[in-house]
Amino acid sequence: MSAAGFDASRYDAFVFDLDGTVWLGADAPIPGALEFLARCREQGATVAFATNAIVHSPETLSAQLVHLGLALPGEPVVTSGTVIVRTLVSEGAELVAAVVPSQLEESFLQAGIAVVSPNDVTVDDFGPVGPDRALVIASSRGATIGSIERLGRLAMAGHRVYISSKDAGFPIVGGIEPGGGVLFAALTAMYDVDAAILGKPSPHYAAVVAEAVGGVGRRILVCGDSQRADIGIAHELGCDSVLLTSHSVRPISHDLPAPTYVAPSLADAFRPHRAG
């Protein structure tokens, strides 16, 4: 099966990862991405975008996707930040100690959740353990050994830890942008703590994606470069998937959900994945 002759009518909706799938660093489309997206729309399919990258808001990403011709105005863009804010609001959070980008901090504030730096609180003054208090890791930018150590102390005191993803990084032009998974790995190397993952491939994220494309009953195809995140979210949705390998950070693993198809990029042949 080739991208050039791909029968989009087999699917009602397409969900595309961003980095390594349709663009690298939001600078320009990956060759073939524009044509593939246009073909999906010509068949009448719904198009949505879903990323674990968290530096920019969904609105900013949407504007850049439209600017590059990759998206039409109004096509959904889901980020792990979207899911983090929705989840913490639903669980009654009022205060978070967080290492997050400024745009996500702003989203918390708009949702009525106060944000403090881990460096600015102690176990005693953060408050009692409860649903109104939480710890959030969604970026490695601006993190220090001190902030990691303070998050660990708060986590060991019993406060819930939420992370955007365990992604170590995201492909960009010329290299890899470190992800929040780097910070979480440092935290767990120091402290015996666990965390709830709210980005791909979590059930929380899958629910938001399903809502964005009109429900899990639709025939969905997920396209992405991360087997753990993108193929994982397809597995969570119970739908088909394409693993794109040209910019993938890691080789295919038998320990992770298997893709339906494998291809170097959206411009290349989609071949059925054969385990072994």
Side-chain angles (χ1 to χ4, degrees):
M1 180 176 295
S2 68
F6 187 73
D7 182 9
S9 65
R10 296 183 58 205
Y11 300 98
D12 302 314
F14 290 78
V15 178
F16 295 92
D17 177 49
L18 296 183
D19 296 300
T21 298
V22 300
W23 66 24
L24 286 176
D27 295 318
I30 292 174
L34 287 169
E35 294 80 3
F36 188 86
L37 283 157
R39 192 171 303 116
C40 296
R41 297 185 184 103
E42 288 170 2
Q43 296 291 334
T46 298
V47 170
F49 301 89
T51 178
N52 270 347
I54 205 162
V55 173
H56 300 295
S57 69
E59 294 77 17
T60 298
L61 291 172
S62 177
Q64 182 64 2
L65 286 164
V66 171
H67 172 70
L68 294 175
L70 287 163
L72 298 179
E75 287 181 336
V77 178
V78 179
T79 72
S80 52
T82 308
V83 183
I84 288 172
V85 173
R86 285 179 55 158
T87 301
L88 292 187
V89 167
S90 70
E91 295 185 357
E94 297 177 0
L95 174 66
V96 297
V99 179
V100 297
S102 58
Q103 71 80 18
L104 183 54
E105 182 174 345
E106 180 62 28
S107 295
F108 276 130
L109 296 175
Q110 291 176 356
I113 299 175
V115 182
V116 295
S117 167
N119 294 326
D120 296 335
V121 293
T122 66
V123 171
D124 290 334
D125 63 26
F126 188 60
V129 173
D132 61 334
R133 300 284 190 273
L135 314 177
V136 179
I137 299 172
S139 175
S140 59
R141 295 184 179 185
T144 65
I145 292 298
S147 59
I148 297 170
E149 191 273 342
R150 189 62 57 83
L151 282 168
R153 287 180 178 271
L154 291 168
M156 292 298 289
H159 294 287
R160 300 167 298 158
V161 183
Y162 297 91
I163 62 174
S164 56
S165 74
K166 289 187 177 179
D167 292 333
F170 306 95
I172 59 174
V173 176
I176 301 294
E177 168 78 17
V182 172
L183 182 54
F184 182 68
L187 176 65
T188 54
M190 297 170 63
Y191 292 93
D192 183 20
V193 299
D194 201 359
I197 302 171
L198 296 181
K200 291 183 287 188
S202 73
H204 296 85
Y205 198 109
V208 177
V209 170
E211 178 183 317
V213 298
V216 293
R218 308 196 76 197
R219 297 172 298 170
I220 303 168
L221 183 76
V222 174
C223 304
D225 68 314
S226 169
Q227 186 181 4
R228 184 189 54 75
D230 299 313
I231 309 309
I233 202 70
H235 180 77
E236 191 69 39
L237 289 164
C239 68
D240 288 353
S241 60
V242 180
L243 180 63
L244 305 172
T245 59
S246 288
H247 302 287
S248 185
V249 176
R250 288 181 169 79
I252 296 177
S253 169
H254 299 301
D255 297 326
L256 295 171
T260 312
Y261 303 104
V262 177
S265 73
L266 291 174
D268 295 294
F270 290 176
R271 63 184 187 276
H273 172 66
R274 304 296 185 195

